Amino acid sequence: MAAVSARLPAFPWDKLEPYKKTAAAHPDGIVDLSVGTPVDPVPQLIQDALVAAADSPGYPTVWGTAALRDAITGWLKGRLGASAAGHRNVLPVVGSKELVAWLPTQLGLGAGDKVAYPRLAYPTYEVGARLCGAEAVVYDDPTELDPAGVKLLWLNSPSNPTGKVIPKEDLVRIVAWAREHGILLFSDECYLELGWEAEPVSVLHDDVCGGSYEGVVAVHSLSKRSNLAGYRAAFIAGDAEVLGELLEIRKHGGMMTPAPVQAATVAALGDDVHVAEQRGRYAARREALRSALEAHGFRVEHSEASLYLWVTRDEPCWDTVAHLAELGVLVAPGDFYGEAGARFVRVAFTATDERVDAAVKRLA
């Protein structure tokens, strides 16, 4: 039983517990800016769709309803500029983290194969490689990798944790390089609708992939843009052959998005008003926290998109975590995301307006 878990790194968030206790001891309570979980209400039209589909006694399909596939392909065309998207190019998944963690295993990767991801990255890319026994390799520019043995290349734009956005011209170059070397490219685009100082572009955009999805898949989630983290609503889109293979595997594994969640996803993808409203909330919180952090002596790097500010005081990240915990503010240490983050912390602006205001006052 321990053979698989022994491959995995220590669960990083456990290391934050002592600092969480310190922050929680603040007289006015903790301001938790660490995990980045949505706190605002699920939009009413999405709740209504979920409730309307609550009487769903039968098994849902892994591929999803035709209505769901219509909603996803319509969104891909209208929002991402993926004009050739059809039903065979989409597949719902049970939250994007599940997909990231188990993708290398479902692709049949193992010892001798390499999974590449950014030097500063969401830890689950490494977890996915370790689960199947593949080698995890990091990069600054993927086209500088030795392509030998690289079977899966992860992009992440906008980045978690840094908020960095890959420019369109670089995406074009990277897609061409991956295709030249026969490397499957998966692009994690879960923060794509949260660009602040840059406009994120999908690898599925016609200008990037040339209208062909060969060797290219994008990952999208409704957790952030629609406050649906608790619904586990996500999907992948792109290469029909890759998605077809994953569909067969996931059918055998019973990896089905619940029918009410499928109905809620249709409603969420069909409405832009709630997305704009939520963006407005996040924009205000972002501006308030950024100003307060800079006034407190922090330097903000990247952070042009996503739900985080990537900041430093040019000291070890755990010293920063401890300093802010004494103020009752909990943040994520940068080394959770790789050694290159050892002097940074990630500050989420997903807390309520009241808690963000409290953090601003404490930083002052």
Side-chain angles (χ1 to χ4, degrees), residues 42-43 45-51 53 63-75 90-95 193 220-223 225-236 256-272 274-275:
V42 173
L45 84 161
I46 301 176
Q47 294 189 48
D48 291 345
L50 184 84
V51 171
W63 195 21
T65 63
L68 176 60
R69 284 178 268 128
D70 281 342
I72 296 174
T73 54
W75 185 83
V90 300
L91 180 63
V93 295
V94 192
E193 297 210 79
H220 284 272
S221 166
L222 280 75
S223 293
R225 48 100 69 192
S226 299
N227 300 336
L228 296 188
Y231 283 47
R232 311 315 300 135
F235 58 88
I236 55 178
M256 300 172 283
T257 301
V261 174
Q262 293 190 32
T265 301
V266 172
L269 291 175
D271 178 69
D272 293 330
H274 78 277
V275 179

Side-chain angles (χ1 to χ4, degrees), residues 7-24:
R7 300 176 193 165
L8 304 179
F11 189 65
W13 296 100
D14 292 342
K15 295 171 62 178
L16 205 56
E17 281 303 312
Y19 303 91
K20 187 174 184 177
K21 290 180 181 177
T22 298

Side-chain angles (χ1 to χ4, degrees), residues 17-308:
E17 281 303 312
Y19 303 91
K20 187 174 184 177
K21 290 180 181 177
T22 298
H26 189 280
D28 187 38
I30 188 173
V31 177
D32 192 342
L33 307 179
S34 61
V35 177
T37 188
V39 297
D40 298 301
V42 173
Q44 192 60 50
L45 84 161
I46 301 176
Q47 294 189 48
D48 291 345
L50 184 84
V51 171
D55 186 14
S56 298
Y59 291 111
T61 62
V62 174
W63 195 21
T65 63
L68 176 60
R69 284 178 268 128
D70 281 342
I72 296 174
T73 54
W75 185 83
L76 292 172
K77 293 174 182 178
R79 181 62 183 85
L80 301 191
S83 65
H87 280 204
R88 293 181 64 244
N89 301 113
V90 300
L91 180 63
V93 295
V94 192
S96 59
K97 184 171 185 175
E98 166 263 302
L99 183 279
V100 172
W102 292 107
L103 177 65
T105 299
Q106 293 178 6
L107 291 173
L109 305 189
D113 297 324
K114 296 178 182 178
V115 175
Y117 53 87
R119 188 173 303 280
L120 279 168
Y122 183 46
T124 312
Y125 305 135
E126 178 187 1
V127 168
R130 291 196 182 203
L131 280 171
C132 73
E135 179 185 352
V137 296
V138 299
Y139 65 78
D140 295 307
D141 180 337
T143 65
E144 296 175 356
L145 286 168
D146 178 355
V150 178
K151 298 296 179 66
L152 174 62
L153 171 64
W154 278 108
L155 298 185
N156 180 207
S157 177
S159 163
N160 174 15
T162 70
K164 184 178 181 180
V165 172
I166 301 175
K168 182 192 286 187
E169 57 270 22
D170 286 341
L171 288 175
V172 172
R173 176 175 56 84
I174 294 166
V175 168
W177 179 86
R179 285 173 168 168
E180 177 186 353
H181 295 287
I183 297 171
L184 178 60
L185 187 156
F186 264 69
S187 180
D188 182 347
E189 302 175 351
C190 290
Y191 297 92
L192 185 133
E193 297 210 79
L194 294 162
W196 310 110
E197 297 164 9
E199 185 60 39
V201 179
S202 173
V203 293
L204 301 184
H205 192 289
D206 291 353
D207 292 347
V208 175
C209 66
S212 165
Y213 308 130
E214 178 186 357
V216 176
V217 179
V219 181
H220 284 272
S221 166
L222 280 75
S223 293
K224 315 301 185 187
R225 48 100 69 192
S226 299
N227 300 336
L228 296 188
Y231 283 47
R232 311 315 300 135
F235 58 88
I236 55 178
D239 191 315
E241 289 191 17
V242 174
L243 268 58
E245 176 67 13
L246 291 174
L247 173 61
E248 290 304 312
I249 294 165
R250 295 172 69 85
K251 279 166 33 177
H252 282 288
M255 304 177 87
M256 300 172 283
T257 301
V261 174
Q262 293 190 32
T265 301
V266 172
L269 291 175
D271 178 69
D272 293 330
V273 174
H274 78 277
V275 179
E277 290 175 349
Q278 190 59 45
R279 274 182 57 89
R281 296 185 190 105
Y282 285 142
R285 294 166 187 166
R286 176 181 183 272
E287 181 57 34
L289 282 171
R290 179 168 191 150
S291 297
L293 287 163
E294 289 176 334
H296 196 76
F298 284 94
R299 185 176 73 254
V300 179
E301 292 197 0
H302 297 304
S303 307
E304 59 256 36
S306 83
L307 291 178
Y308 312 107

